[in-house]
Amino acid sequence: MAVVWNGLLVLGLVLGFCLVSSLGELELFAESPKGDGSLAFLVVGDWGRRGNYNQTEVAHQMGIIGEKLDIDFVVSTGDNFYEDGLTGVDDPAFQESFVNIYTHPGLQKQWYSVLGNHDYRGDVEAQLSPILRKMDSRWLCLRSFIVNAEIVELFFVDTTPFVDKYFTKPKGDVYDWSGVLPRKRYLSNLLRDVDLALRESRAKWKIVVGHHTIKSAGHHKNTDELGAQLLPIIQVLSTRFIKNI
Ligand SMILES: *[C@@H]1O[C@H](CO)[C@@H](O)[C@H](O)[C@H]1NC(C)=O
């Protein structure tokens, strides 16, 4: 089931198998499938609008579906807070765009979030901070990490630092690259960790999550940097995966 609504993408997935998995270098979080081996989660991105742009309406529909599917968690693919991320851990946007919006009982689950390019225009460390997690225990945002839900393993990848134009043509936007520089080393470490984790994973389904599209027919088009650097890692894996069946 997929709903595209006014720029917000909500995607519901129900999966129904069971296999064991393992870990790599990235921080790992564990989720357990339901008793029948199935797992359900919603995916949403580009959302933090203080309820505007139909965010509240989409949140309500997500809640209905979340309840119906009895979701295990929510995946957020970044651009969590428009236009310029959070100004700090005390930015009211955290309440106004997240806490006070996703109030439906069907959405009271763990949220796993990555950063988008708009988040990088604010205080990145604020979004990653445990202080936000204390304010709302559903919140968890890290640059790159893994969620192992046995049947499926999700690899969250920080895609913004791959995109050249934010560095070469920032067009007046200021990006918070602390923790990313030197960029080359950051990207090569990240690619190495993702590659290793994907190779080690024994999960039946492996899903790579990131903010930027590798391929897209939309107006942002393909992200060539990801096509050149991340896609080959995923493709190697799918070859192995097919061979292993
Ligand atoms: C919200 O959705 C309605 C109905 O689809 C649309 O007419 C309206 O323009 C949207 N509002 C915003 C601010 O995008």
Side-chain angles (χ1 to χ4, degrees):
M1 189 240 32
V3 183
V4 181
W5 194 346
N6 213 40
L8 288 149
L9 172 73
V10 183
L11 179 70
L13 293 173
V14 190
L15 305 163
F17 301 86
C18 197
L19 264 185
V20 193
S21 157
S22 64
L23 39 135
E25 296 284 305
L26 300 162
E27 195 169 346
L28 178 73
F29 299 86
E31 287 280 345
S32 303
K34 298 182 186 30
D36 66 357
S38 73
L39 184 86
F41 57 94
L42 299 178
V43 182
V44 62
D46 301 18
W47 45 263
R49 298 281 195 176
R50 294 186 165 87
N52 297 324
Y53 295 88
N54 286 318
Q55 186 193 1
T56 303
E57 287 82 347
V58 173
H60 181 68
Q61 296 300 326
M62 284 174 69
I64 293 170
I65 296 294
E67 202 161 40
K68 200 167 145 191
L69 296 181
D70 186 19
I71 54 164
D72 295 284
F73 53 87
V74 177
V75 168
S76 166
T77 61
D79 279 1
N80 306 322
F81 301 97
Y82 282 100
E83 290 282 336
D84 299 318
L86 294 180
T87 55
V89 289
D90 48 8
D91 189 334
F94 182 65
Q95 265 73 31
E96 292 165 6
S97 289
F98 178 68
V99 180
N100 300 344
I101 299 290
Y102 300 105
T103 52
H104 195 286
L107 300 175
Q108 306 311 306
K109 300 285 172 167
Q110 185 66 60
W111 283 54
Y112 293 107
S113 305
V114 282
L115 300 162
N117 48 303
H118 283 265
D119 300 308
Y120 264 100
R121 296 190 201 169
D123 180 345
V124 167
E125 283 302 325
Q127 287 204 48
L128 309 178
S129 169
I131 296 170
L132 293 195
R133 289 190 230 168
K134 280 201 190 110
M135 284 189 221
D136 190 323
S137 60
R138 293 176 296 169
W139 182 254
L140 180 79
C141 180
L142 295 172
R143 292 182 199 269
S144 302
F145 60 102
I146 298 171
V147 173
N148 182 349
E150 298 179 17
I151 165 186
V152 59
E153 201 160 353
L154 297 118
F155 303 84
F156 291 79
V157 178
D158 187 20
T159 56
T160 306
F162 283 91
V163 181
D164 292 333
K165 68 178 179 201
Y166 305 134
F167 293 84
T168 57
K169 289 181 205 148
K171 289 199 232 155
D173 295 316
V174 178
Y175 292 87
D176 174 10
W177 297 128
S178 55
V180 168
L181 303 177
R183 183 182 173 210
K184 249 191 181 158
R185 192 166 71 193
Y186 181 85
L187 296 180
S188 63
N189 285 344
L190 176 52
L191 288 167
R192 186 202 57 211
D193 290 349
V194 172
D195 186 30
L196 190 69
L198 281 168
R199 286 169 192 273
E200 284 185 350
S201 173
R202 300 273 78 88
K204 170 103 184 172
W205 296 89
K206 306 180 213 325
I207 301 177
V208 177
V209 176
H211 179 67
H212 296 80
T213 46
I214 296 177
K215 304 258 187 222
S216 171
H219 75 275
H220 287 307
K221 306 211 176 81
N222 299 348
T223 308
D224 293 335
E225 296 89 336
L226 294 177
Q229 296 171 73
L230 184 61
L231 186 58
I233 289 173
I234 300 172
Q235 280 172 334
V236 164
L237 178 90
S238 48
T239 316
R240 289 168 161 252
F241 182 63
I242 291 162
K243 274 194 207 148
N244 284 347
I245 289 175

